[in-house]
Amino acid sequence: MSTLNRLDSIRAIAERKVDEFYADRINAILGPIAPLHARKRALATADLIDDKVDQLAVLTNAAEQDKVVMAIDASRREAKARVRLGATSANVMAIVADLH
Amino acid sequence: MKMLCCHDSVGRISNVIFEPIPESFVEHYDKIGLLHVMFDNPDNLSALAVASLHYVSVGQITMRPDCPAVVTVEGRAINFADVPADGTVVAVLDKGTEFERRESVSDKSMELDEAGAVHILVDSPWPYLQGVYDVDVE
């Protein structure tokens, strides 16, 4: 007789859904020109921006964005930990439902 | 309304044409070797109903037989009996939700770790209809 593990299979789906949910939030924070911001950050970090006021603004904005992204990532990891600890498939489904 | 049913060598109906059926169609089908049979369709079934629920056996439109599989539940075990050789069994969990998933079942019995509803699909060789079973394990 084979065994179908409802909890394990739902947990795998739930972990993916948690990642997708938080990835959307992180992408929204980074915005549509994230590569440009990343490039400016790299230049500012390497002290390659002539305008020092602009350089400071770039680094300040980058640091603020990092804080927000790290906070979202902390929530993501906390949600995934709860998914991994869920004792029943109903528990796991409820964790995903609570994300929205 | 009468219909002309085109079919393959195992009786699978590929398309139907309602009356009036041009004689040239029949001649053309004969010419290219496309098998066909006339069906009186006394119950005025739709083309889809005829093609999906029937087949051609010995030159006659015939109901496809029901899936012979028997699905029973004992506690958290689901038992599958009389699944035809070459038949396949799929268990669908959390059907209709964002967590829906399909698991192939190869054994005659399957046990679940949790109680809940399970949607079972049994596909048997032609011409059997697909077997659909909704069970609850406790």
Side-chain angles (χ1 to χ4, degrees):
Chain A
M1 179 186 298
S2 59
T3 299
L4 186 54
N5 194 311
R6 189 189 285 266
L7 178 57
D8 281 351
S9 62
I10 211 163
R11 211 191 299 276
I13 297 171
E15 286 195 50
R16 193 184 72 235
K17 286 185 177 295
V18 167
D19 280 343
E20 288 170 354
F21 174 79
Y22 284 103
D24 286 347
R25 292 187 62 189
I26 289 170
N27 284 333
I29 296 296
L30 296 179
I33 52 173
L36 173 63
H37 289 309
R39 181 70 185 144
K40 286 167 73 175
R41 177 198 299 232
L43 292 173
T45 304
D47 202 17
L48 293 174
I49 295 179
D50 292 337
D51 185 333
K52 296 306 165 193
V53 174
D54 194 24
Q55 179 184 25
L56 181 61
V58 168
L59 291 173
T60 302
N61 288 340
E64 286 173 3
Q65 190 179 69
D66 283 348
K67 275 188 201 168
V68 176
V69 170
M70 287 303 109
I72 294 171
D73 187 48
S75 297
R76 181 189 68 84
R77 283 186 280 119
E78 188 268 338
K80 285 187 82 167
R82 284 191 291 129
V83 164
R84 291 183 188 123
L85 291 173
T88 67
S89 56
N91 291 153
V92 172
M93 290 167 88
I95 292 166
V96 174
D98 286 345
L99 294 176
H100 300 285
Chain B
M1 185 182 285
K2 279 188 175 182
M3 59 172 67
L4 184 73
C5 300
C6 300
H7 61 92
D8 64 14
S9 60
V10 294
R12 191 178 276 111
I13 298 167
S14 54
N15 65 298
V16 303
I17 303 168
F18 286 96
E19 281 191 321
I21 301 159
E23 186 59 32
S24 61
F25 274 41
V26 178
E27 289 171 2
H28 178 65
Y29 291 158
D30 286 337
K31 191 174 174 183
I32 64 173
L34 181 60
L35 301 173
H36 55 85
V37 62
M38 190 61 78
F39 179 43
D40 285 341
N41 193 15
D43 297 322
N44 279 324
L45 298 172
S46 68
L48 179 63
V50 171
S52 59
L53 302 176
H54 300 74
Y55 75 121
V56 180
S57 175
V58 201
Q60 297 289 318
I61 298 293
T62 308
M63 285 288 290
R64 291 172 58 194
D66 287 332
C67 175
V70 177
V71 179
T72 56
V73 176
E74 291 177 70
R76 290 202 177 159
I78 304 175
N79 304 308
F80 307 97
D82 299 333
V83 177
D86 298 331
T88 60
V89 180
V90 171
V92 184
L93 300 176
D94 298 304
K95 186 176 184 299
T97 74
E98 62 179 326
F99 292 95
E100 179 174 315
R101 55 216 184 274
R102 292 167 174 250
E103 305 283 349
S104 293
V105 181
S106 54
D107 293 343
K108 289 183 183 298
S109 294
M110 177 184 80
E111 189 173 46
L112 280 95
D113 61 325
E114 285 187 346
V118 185
H119 186 70
I120 305 286
L121 300 173
V122 180
D123 282 303
S124 302
W126 183 262
Y128 287 116
L129 290 165
Q130 184 183 56
V132 180
Y133 310 82
D134 284 299
V135 298
D136 278 298
V137 297
E138 298 168 1

